[in-house]
Amino acid sequence: MSTSITNEAARWFVVRRPNPRAALRLFCFPYAGGGTPIYRQWPELLPPEYEVYAAQLPGRGNRMREPPYYSFEPMVEALASAVAPHLDRPFAFFGHSMGATIGFELARLLEARGAGLPARLFVSGRRAPQLPRDWEITYNLPEPQFISHVQSLNGTPAEVLEHPELMELMLPLLRADFSVVETYEYRTGPPLGCPITAFGGAEDAEVDREKVAAWREQTSADFNLRIMPGGHFFLSDTPTQAAMLRIIESELRQAART
């Protein structure tokens, strides 16, 4: 890792292609149960002047022994401390599903503290936070029902679902992340001063186009809605991911010119 990355940031972020002269840092946040492998290819698929920081949250990867978070507030507070030394140049946030809410709440916290705003906030596969809650509480279901619910979401790799030992390892993290998502309480506040791009899946039965488009209310700046082919985990499709990265690159270049 480059000398620009502090020990604390090294705990919180994986930077596969460090660039001390990066023009912009892109901080990426995972969906529930996900980790840094989601963004493994992004440093190679984006221009070298963009330094990708993939968030390594507690309870996964090299932080497997650390207890995961069960609610948003302490997670976002900790992330704000971790990113603070690395906001010395333009930066952007990307998050899918749970990660979208992380990026949004982190941007709100940084703005409230006068620490700056991302050049652009990219939210993906997530309903706008101000919409009325329409989900069931599942994180505390008995194990058979919880596993069945996880399977129905089609986001956990088959090699995990088909091996009881791997599922046993993953269940505490999945329950924690589902708790984070399902107990989230949106607090009314002014719209962000940074532009937002919202990605949605054309076949996403969980988050339809209207729910994604409602992110427009969360910015006083520019807003773009991008509907991609696929269901809720459209991010995992290689061609779709490549198309998303072309959009991200284009919109970051546009932000740099304004």
Side-chain angles (χ1 to χ4, degrees):
M1 293 202 174
S2 74
T3 55
S4 66
I5 302 173
T6 64
N7 289 337
E8 179 64 9
R11 285 179 60 238
W12 279 93
F13 300 100
V14 172
V15 184
R16 298 189 183 279
R17 192 173 62 179
N19 180 5
R21 298 181 180 180
L24 178 141
R25 292 188 175 120
L26 178 62
F27 295 89
C28 299
F29 307 104
Y31 49 76
T36 61
I38 303 166
Y39 304 110
R40 181 183 298 276
Q41 300 300 320
W42 286 36
E44 286 70 41
L45 296 173
L46 286 169
E49 63 263 31
Y50 298 149
E51 191 177 34
V52 177
Y53 276 50
Q56 181 84 288
L57 303 179
R60 64 208 85 199
N62 60 12
R63 305 184 69 183
M64 186 72 74
R65 295 183 181 276
E66 297 182 43
Y69 287 101
Y70 284 81
S71 60
F72 262 107
E73 189 170 342
M75 179 196 297
V76 172
E77 288 278 352
L79 277 165
S81 297
V83 304
H86 305 281
L87 306 182
D88 57 338
R89 64 196 65 200
F91 63 96
F93 291 159
F94 177 94
H96 184 80
S97 198
M98 178 182 78
T101 309
I102 293 173
F104 168 67
E105 289 294 350
L106 182 55
R108 291 178 103 191
L109 182 58
L110 293 176
E111 184 174 40
R113 293 180 175 178
L117 275 169
R120 197 165 196 105
L121 170 63
F122 297 94
V123 294
S124 175
R126 183 68 174 161
R127 67 204 304 279
Q130 76 277 4
L131 296 177
R133 294 178 55 161
D134 63 354
W135 59 83
E136 297 179 4
I137 300 298
T138 65
Y139 74 90
N140 56 0
L141 285 173
E143 187 168 304
Q145 291 95 314
F146 183 72
I147 292 175
S148 177
H149 175 65
V150 170
Q151 290 173 329
S152 72
L153 300 176
N154 297 317
T156 303
E159 57 267 28
V160 174
L161 293 172
E162 294 168 2
H163 289 81
E165 297 84 1
L166 291 177
M167 271 306 290
E168 187 175 350
L169 287 173
M170 281 292 294
L171 278 176
L173 173 63
L174 287 167
R175 285 190 185 277
D177 283 0
F178 279 40
S179 173
V180 167
V181 173
E182 293 171 355
T183 62
Y184 171 68
E185 296 282 351
Y186 170 72
R187 296 180 182 178
T188 303
L192 289 168
C194 65
I196 293 177
T197 294
F199 291 97
E203 290 84 46
D204 189 347
E206 180 181 343
V207 186
D208 62 27
R209 181 189 182 97
E210 289 71 25
K211 291 177 180 177
V212 180
W215 279 98
R216 184 184 303 273
E217 297 178 25
Q218 293 299 333
T219 177
S220 59
D222 181 53
F223 175 81
N224 286 334
L225 174 64
R226 306 284 189 171
I227 301 300
M228 312 303 292
H232 185 63
F233 289 97
F234 58 87
L235 178 71
S236 301
D237 178 75
T238 299
T240 300
Q241 189 174 110
M244 291 176 67
L245 287 171
R246 288 193 293 271
I247 293 170
I248 290 170
E249 177 186 353
S250 173
E251 295 190 353
L252 288 177
R253 290 195 185 281
Q254 179 184 349
R257 292 193 296 267
T258 58

